[in-house]
Amino acid sequence: MKKILFGFLFVLSFALLAACSGGNEEAQPADNDSEKKDKGVVNLYTSRHYEADDEIYAAFTKETGIKVNVVKGEENELIERLSREGAATEADLFMTSDAGRLHWAKDKNLLQRADSKTLAANIPENLRDKDNQWFGLTKRARVIVYSKDRVKPSELSTYEDLTDAKWKGKVLVRPSENVYNQSLLASFITLNGEDKAKEWAKGIVGNMARDPQGGDRDQAKAIVAGEGDVAIMNTYYVGVMANSEDPEEVKVAEKVGVFFPNQETDGTHINVSGAGLTKHAKNKENAIKLMEFLSAEESQGKFAEANFEYPVNPNVEPSELLKSWGDFKAQELNLSELGENNAAAVKLLNEVGWK
């Protein structure tokens, strides 16, 4: 009887041990499969509205398995939304144009530091925030656009020359509320001080062909319409018009030229579109991976070809159209200073009556 009882207990113990071991072996592969299928998400708030961007996000998902959820809106609305949502926000990344706007987000305590060796290697130091709270991903130059019929390139030289009496009633530019103009003036404050920056702004106001109005493309259209001879514009918009589905915009682009000012002095003003890691990001690692992907050579090439923006990655060539305009010397300053000097720039623009 004892032998039978012992044998029964032995068999029961072995069966229980086997059952426990079998359960563990089945559970482990299920966890691994789950990790392979679901790499998580990254939630992006962006003011950029380009098909090329969506294609790059899709390529990122295909390569990493990380889904990109995109919320698009106007930059000021998105900044306000981030402020309102606070710690409850789903946003992991904030992306917009102009270092000034990126600085606003930082100044409102909406971003956090993101340290990445890949971003440091792909993006020059002057094109990213001093505290690594935002990173430039594409570049644009703010240049002088001129009428090919009425202006010779040899007549052009510097931003400062546009205040000369020979350009009286001939200069076209956007309103002072536009952040591109604010950042341009902020760069002059950094390079030359507030007094000279104010003097320049006052001179531009004195030479305006009309009250400031419209966007950059409207300035080019006004040149062709004969309202003025020269305009201050971003290169990006000339590229967009040259490749527009609207034949009238293509005609406008054909009738204007691009001139890079200040090649013998401080260089041409540049700005960026960029992204920053939000303060309350729930998917921090995925967000940094997306920024790294956007700064890599393949993505930079797509930005350059499809959107007519200059790549920030020094290993990537500009598009053929941008190359046709020639190389240029850019201002040498950290773009963080555009945001830091924004309030002073706005003050000067108001003081000189730049509407």
Side-chain angles (χ1 to χ4, degrees), residues 69-326:
N69 295 320
V70 182
V71 174
K72 297 181 180 180
E74 295 303 314
E75 39 284 303
N76 292 344
E77 293 174 359
L78 292 175
I79 289 175
E80 175 58 31
R81 179 171 176 174
L82 282 170
S83 297
R84 186 175 64 252
E85 291 174 339
T89 187
E90 293 297 321
D92 301 306
L93 275 181
F94 170 63
M95 190 173 183
T96 191
S97 59
D98 197 278
R101 291 191 180 113
L102 290 163
H103 181 80
W104 294 345
K106 175 186 176 181
D107 200 44
K108 289 178 177 291
N109 199 26
L110 300 176
L111 305 178
Q112 64 171 299
R113 186 181 185 93
D115 292 316
S116 162
K117 291 181 180 179
T118 299
L119 291 173
N122 290 345
I123 304 171
E125 186 176 1
N126 69 307
L127 302 181
R128 44 190 162 93
D129 177 56
K130 294 175 181 178
D131 300 316
N132 285 347
Q133 291 199 23
W134 57 259
F135 299 84
L137 295 170
T138 65
K139 274 192 308 187
R140 301 167 181 184
R142 196 147 185 80
V143 297
I144 298 173
V145 173
Y146 62 93
S147 167
K148 289 181 177 178
D149 294 334
R150 301 187 299 277
V151 178
K152 297 177 181 179
S154 59
E155 298 177 74
L156 301 167
S157 57
T158 64
Y159 296 108
E160 290 82 0
D161 181 62
L162 293 180
T163 66
D164 189 272
K166 67 183 179 183
W167 300 112
K168 190 170 183 63
K170 297 180 180 181
V171 178
L172 295 155
V173 68
R174 291 173 76 152
S176 62
E177 65 187 17
N178 174 248
V179 72
Y180 299 148
N181 289 334
Q182 295 170 10
S183 290
L184 176 62
L185 190 59
S187 75
F188 295 161
I189 292 173
T190 298
L191 294 168
N192 306 311
E194 288 194 23
D195 289 343
K196 288 188 176 181
K198 182 176 181 178
E199 182 182 344
W200 177 81
K202 183 178 181 180
I204 293 296
V205 171
N207 282 350
M208 286 181 180
R210 62 179 185 182
D211 285 344
Q213 57 189 270
D216 274 17
R217 278 181 278 194
D218 294 312
Q219 313 313 315
K221 292 174 183 177
I223 289 177
V224 175
E227 294 183 52
D229 288 351
V230 294
I232 301 172
M233 288 178 55
N234 281 356
T235 47
Y236 156 78
Y237 291 102
V238 182
V240 169
M241 295 181 78
N243 292 271
S244 174
E245 295 181 359
D246 182 348
E248 293 303 315
E249 288 199 341
V250 175
K251 289 179 182 178
V252 168
E254 291 173 347
K255 293 181 179 180
V256 298
V258 172
F259 184 85
F260 295 97
N262 295 70
Q263 293 305 284
E264 302 300 322
T265 57
D266 297 322
T268 297
H269 173 72
I270 60 169
N271 212 316
V272 292
S273 277
L277 181 67
T278 63
K279 181 180 180 181
H280 300 291
K282 313 296 191 298
N283 303 286
K284 182 175 178 179
E285 290 185 6
N286 290 348
I288 292 175
K289 284 180 181 178
L290 178 56
M291 285 195 290
E292 291 173 342
F293 187 85
L294 297 176
S295 72
E297 292 183 20
E298 184 175 352
S299 299
Q300 288 284 295
K302 289 179 180 178
F303 279 135
E305 290 297 330
N307 286 347
F308 314 105
E309 298 171 283
Y310 289 94
V312 297
N313 190 319
N315 295 325
V316 180
E317 293 286 327
S319 69
E320 291 303 315
L321 175 62
L322 271 60
K323 283 183 181 178
S324 72
W325 297 336

